[in-house]
């Protein structure tokens, strides 16, 4: 039997989200039915429903930072049981057999990973996300939320957490490395907490000094405003790794000048517009400009366990579902401290 779930969805590109119902598929042998408790609001939700990344099918319920409780499991499920605290991130399926899936990089599946919303699932249906009371997900894409992290502060870890953990780990953030984070929003504040817990020296590069106290409290050692010219001369050639979380185009070449010889700037921010780069900004220091998309399932579990061990959750503002549209406007205005999380009980 399928489940009729309440949801908040956009009826068309650019339209406000409204309350509606969606049908969740019957729980198959390997499926888990999750009663969603909290869903984070990621800037990607806004890019997607507004059509920034291309046409979508509507209605579209976003939400890929999902935390909840298992309500039912299929007959062949072994990893999760009714009552377990679980999470779902940005993907709900992949081919499972290509080289990237086999390496634990399901997000780079050669057949295309199945996004948590607005994607065509392997059974041909269009996926719908976590601004919803229930979701059915194949067990391999369901994460365990360790005891010790509350579900509300855990939800944003499923995207903002893994998206920053993965490049920090891949490019070796740790004791003796200098890491900078551009943009102190949802992803940025997680990058600061995680880089600090990994042992790196952390610098925030924000548009202004308005959030300086917060940045230092979250674990940054230094905090600079990118609106001040002196920031770029003072920090020139000093940073090993820069994580750019900005949702809009920035002057990449200016930031590349802050890297050490051999340093790397990783873009996780995903603006619709191209990001031009001056070749000399790379050549003049054997520097790399890279990108990174979320993280694999095993690495996501590793990140959740790391967060539990280090007492890390997101800094959140919990809202009722009726305030989702207002929250979108505040995210677009960089007025978020530091992640909006929807209390799904206000939908039920
Ligand atoms: P967010 O909460 O809105 O944070 C973005 C931050 O960037 C803002 O808080 C602001 O920080 C800064 N910013 C915004 N507009 C700016 C501008 N015009 N110039 C300079 N700085 C600006 O967004 P988020 O949820 O963290 O997501 C950030 C980006 O990452 C989005 O594009 C999203 O789609 C993308 N994303 C990518 C992945 C991936 O897998 N690669 C995963 C999730 C999200 P300050 O106020 O401190 O300057
Ligand atoms: Zn996201
Ligand atoms: Zn694959």
């Amino acid at each position: 039997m399928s489940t009729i779930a309440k949801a908040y969805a956009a009826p068309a590109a650019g339209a406000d989200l409204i309350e509606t119902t969606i049908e969740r598929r019957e729980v198959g042998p390997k499926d888990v039915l999750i009663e969603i408790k909290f869903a984070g609001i990621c800037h990607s939700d806004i890019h997607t429903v507004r059509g920034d990344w291309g046409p979508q099918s509507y209605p579209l319920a976003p939400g890929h930072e999902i935390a909840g409780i298992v309500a039912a499991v299929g007959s062949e499920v072994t990893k999760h049981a009714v009552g377990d605290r679980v999470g779902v991130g940005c993907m709900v399926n992949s081919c499972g057999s290509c080289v990237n899936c086999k390496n634990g990089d399901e997000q780079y599946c050669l057949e295309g990973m199945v996004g948590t919303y607005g994607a065509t699932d392997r059974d041909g249906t269009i996926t719908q996300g976590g601004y919803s009371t229930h979701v059915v997900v194949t067990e391999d894409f369901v994460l365990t939320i360790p005891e010790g992290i509350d579900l509300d502060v855990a939800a944003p870890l499923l995207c903002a957490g893994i998206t920053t953990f993965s490049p920090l780990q891949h490019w070796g953030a740790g004791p003796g490395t200098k890491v900078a984070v551009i943009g102190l929003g949802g992803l940025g504040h997680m990058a600061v907490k995680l880089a600090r817990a990994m042992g790196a020296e952390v610098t925030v590069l924000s548009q202004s000094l308005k959030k300086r106290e917060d940045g230092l409290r979250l674990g940054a050692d230094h905090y600079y405003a990118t609106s001040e010219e002196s920031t770029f001369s003072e920090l020139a050639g000093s940073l090993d790794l820069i994580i750019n979380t900005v949702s809009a185009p920035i002057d990449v070449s200016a930031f590349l000048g802050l890297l050490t010889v051999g340093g790397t700037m990783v873009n996780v921010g995903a603006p619709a517009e191209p990001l031009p780069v001056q070749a000399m900004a790379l050549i003049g220091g054997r520097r790399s400009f890279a990108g990174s998309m979320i993280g694999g399932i095993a690495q996501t579990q590793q990140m959740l366990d790391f967060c539990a061990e280090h007492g890390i959750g997101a800094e959140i503002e919990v809202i009722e579902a009726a305030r989702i549209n207002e929250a979108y406007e505040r995210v677009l205005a960089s007025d978020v401290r530091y992640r909006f999380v929807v209390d799904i009980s206000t939908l039920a």
Side-chain angles (χ1 to χ4, degrees):
M1 208 178 60
S2 60
T3 304
I4 301 297
K6 284 193 178 175
Y8 240 71
D16 273 359
L17 278 66
I18 52 171
E19 198 168 327
T20 185
T21 53
I22 53 177
E23 191 177 344
R24 297 300 191 179
R25 69 167 181 258
E26 190 173 341
V27 179
K30 292 194 182 304
D31 282 338
V32 175
L33 171 68
I34 301 166
E35 191 183 319
I36 301 175
K37 298 293 185 190
F38 295 97
I41 293 180
C42 177
H43 206 120
S44 300
D45 300 348
I46 305 174
H47 286 307
T48 306
V49 298
R50 302 208 167 184
D52 287 357
W53 294 338
Q56 302 293 326
S57 67
Y58 295 90
L60 175 63
H64 58 206
E65 294 185 334
I66 299 171
I69 303 288
V70 175
V73 294
S75 55
E76 294 171 21
V77 168
T78 56
K79 294 178 181 152
H80 306 284
V82 172
D84 282 0
R85 291 151 38 88
V86 292
V88 176
C90 302
M91 52 185 173
V92 288
N93 221 332
S94 72
C95 84
S97 54
C98 74
V99 62
N100 296 340
C101 285
K102 285 227 152 79
N103 284 339
D105 283 326
E106 298 89 349
Q107 74 277 32
Y108 305 124
C109 174
L110 293 175
E111 291 187 18
M113 63 123 167
V114 178
T116 301
Y117 54 79
T120 306
D121 205 342
R122 298 181 67 77
D123 63 4
T125 57
I126 302 291
T127 56
Q128 296 286 1
Y131 301 178
S132 170
T133 51
H134 298 83
V135 66
V136 176
V137 179
T138 188
E139 68 165 335
D140 288 344
F141 286 78
V142 176
L143 287 305
T144 297
I145 296 178
E147 292 300 325
I149 315 181
D150 291 337
L151 291 181
D152 53 357
V153 299
L157 302 178
L158 277 302
C159 175
I162 183 59
T163 300
T164 49
F165 181 87
S166 183
L168 286 168
Q169 189 177 63
H170 183 84
W171 276 279
T177 61
K178 291 188 179 178
V179 173
V181 177
I182 314 177
L184 194 67
L187 266 57
H189 94 286
M190 287 310 311
V192 169
K193 287 188 173 205
L194 292 166
R196 170 62 175 246
M198 290 173 178
E201 184 177 327
V202 184
T203 298
V204 173
L205 300 168
S206 180
Q207 293 169 94
S208 72
L209 295 179
K210 274 190 282 190
K211 296 180 276 192
R212 184 173 177 278
E213 296 223 329
D214 285 354
L216 299 179
R217 176 176 54 81
L218 295 171
D221 300 282
H222 318 284
Y223 201 104
Y224 289 87
T226 53
S227 54
E228 284 171 27
E229 290 274 317
S230 58
T231 294
F232 291 87
S233 47
E234 243 179 87
L235 294 177
S238 70
L239 302 165
D240 300 302
L241 176 64
I242 300 177
I243 308 285
N244 174 26
T245 74
V246 176
S247 47
I250 58 165
D251 182 355
V252 173
S253 304
F255 288 94
L256 289 171
L258 308 186
L259 290 171
T260 51
V261 171
T264 302
M265 172 161 165
V266 184
N267 227 82
V268 292
E273 304 83 354
L275 290 173
V277 178
Q278 292 285 347
M280 283 312 286
L282 294 168
I283 294 171
R286 203 197 298 135
R287 300 178 175 119
S288 304
F289 182 47
S292 183
M293 187 168 71
I294 50 173
I297 291 296
Q299 193 179 35
T300 304
Q301 190 61 59
Q302 190 192 356
M303 176 276 307
L304 289 167
D305 296 343
F306 178 90
C307 287
E309 191 186 319
H310 292 268
I312 293 174
E315 303 279 307
I316 60 169
E317 182 174 336
V318 177
I319 59 165
E320 47 190 78
R323 289 182 55 213
I324 291 173
N325 295 301
E326 182 192 327
Y328 275 23
E329 293 306 323
R330 286 183 54 196
V331 171
L332 288 167
S334 298
D335 177 23
V336 50
R337 298 195 180 193
Y338 282 89
R339 201 54 142 185
F340 288 108
V341 171
V342 183
D343 177 351
I344 297 297
S345 70
T346 62
L347 244 185

